[in-house]
Amino acid sequence: MATTKLTKETISDAVGLVAFESERKVLKETIDSNFSKEIYLGWYEVMLRIRRFEERAGQLYGMQKIRGFCHLYIGQEAVAAGTISALQAEDPIITAYRDHGMALARGIPANECMAELFGKSTGCTKGKGGSMHFFSKEKKFFGGHGIVGNQIPLGAGMAFSEQYRKSGQVVACFFGEGAARQGALHETFNMAMLWKLPVIFICENNGYAMGTSVKRSSNVIDISKLGLAYDMPSLQIDGMRCEAVHNTIAKAAESARKGEGPTLLEVKTYRYKGHSMSDPAKYRTKEEVEEYKLKDPIETIGSTILKNEFASSSELDNLNEKIIKEIDDAVKFAEDSPYPDPSEIYTDNYKQENYPFLID
Ligand SMILES: Cc1ncc(C[n+]2csc(CCOP(=O)(O)OP(=O)(O)O)c2C)c(N)n1
């Protein structure tokens, strides 16, 4: 195993750490709630925004206001909230097609996100990307990728750029456990470790790749073990806890900024909804979904806020009302926005002048 600073022993203050125990037991007793009121309220607000946005997106899809592919992030909100609070605003993020939550957490306004789902010109990708391709250069959010695993080498390439320019920034590169079975992951891990690239590989293991459970896709069900072949510091953490995500991302970012290279974090999470809007999710039981809902990240953070008297329940209700209004406004903004002009089809495309095989 890697002799790095980021091991179970050295991050014993990290929360919900599972590391490599054969008995996969989440160490809840080590939960460090030593976070400020502002951080807790920030997590709560970000997660509520994602949840209310996604619920609304689901309804609008049913009404055919949103078309095409649409993958909801409901249940996984703690991963986005805990990541963003641990990173610097200039640290680039790249993720897969289940991207609404991360984009909202990174600060792309709900208006722009909703307009993108509607295919409108005011969307964050000018209405040309849709649900799977949110993008914002300004917010350092580099997609939104529909090809499973495609963003893993891209994330390493972005980290190479940060290293080359000595920017001091760290790339957060997200993928699902289904994408972890792609061969490109191994080539990427090898080069990222060889060159000590400033990248955190974050596998959001929600248990299913479309309808295929993680157990049916490989003999190795602990994705965190995949980093060990490259001596990459690799950990498995409880992704239903903002504290766990924040602590481990912060440690991994610190070590990457020091030039110590990448970390693999397997974040155990769960999606409450089907893979996409057309998935009846018959491959799992209702009981399983209900069991995860008992660990709902918004409920958990809400209880901690109330217990510590960071806010009263009426203040949390008011926050919820504020977010509902924000999402209502975003829907109106999207409805009222124009579709892109047909000429837009020729812009924002990659083109190489004088491409040798191009016949005019
Ligand atoms: C290269 C490629 N192969 C197959 C697909 C079809 N596909 C779309 S989503 C998906 C499952 C991916 O699951 P995972 O990476 O675990 O992400 P999650 O949906 O759980 O967030 C597959 C196989 C694709 N989009 N790209």
Side-chain angles (χ1 to χ4, degrees), residues 193-206:
M193 271 310 282
L194 182 67
W195 294 336
K196 299 288 177 287
L197 298 180
V199 53
I200 312 170
F201 295 109
I202 305 140
C203 175
E204 291 187 74
N205 182 354
N206 60 18

Side-chain angles (χ1 to χ4, degrees), residues 71 76 96-98 146-149 175-180 182 204 206 208-210 271 275:
H71 309 87
Q76 300 184 209
Y97 47 82
R98 200 176 296 286
I147 303 298
V148 168
F175 52 94
E177 84 293 337
Q182 291 285 47
E204 291 187 74
N206 60 18
Y208 297 92
M210 299 183 90
R271 63 167 156 74
H275 164 73

Side-chain angles (χ1 to χ4, degrees), residues 95 116 135 242:
T95 188
E116 192 55 44
F135 188 92
C242 293

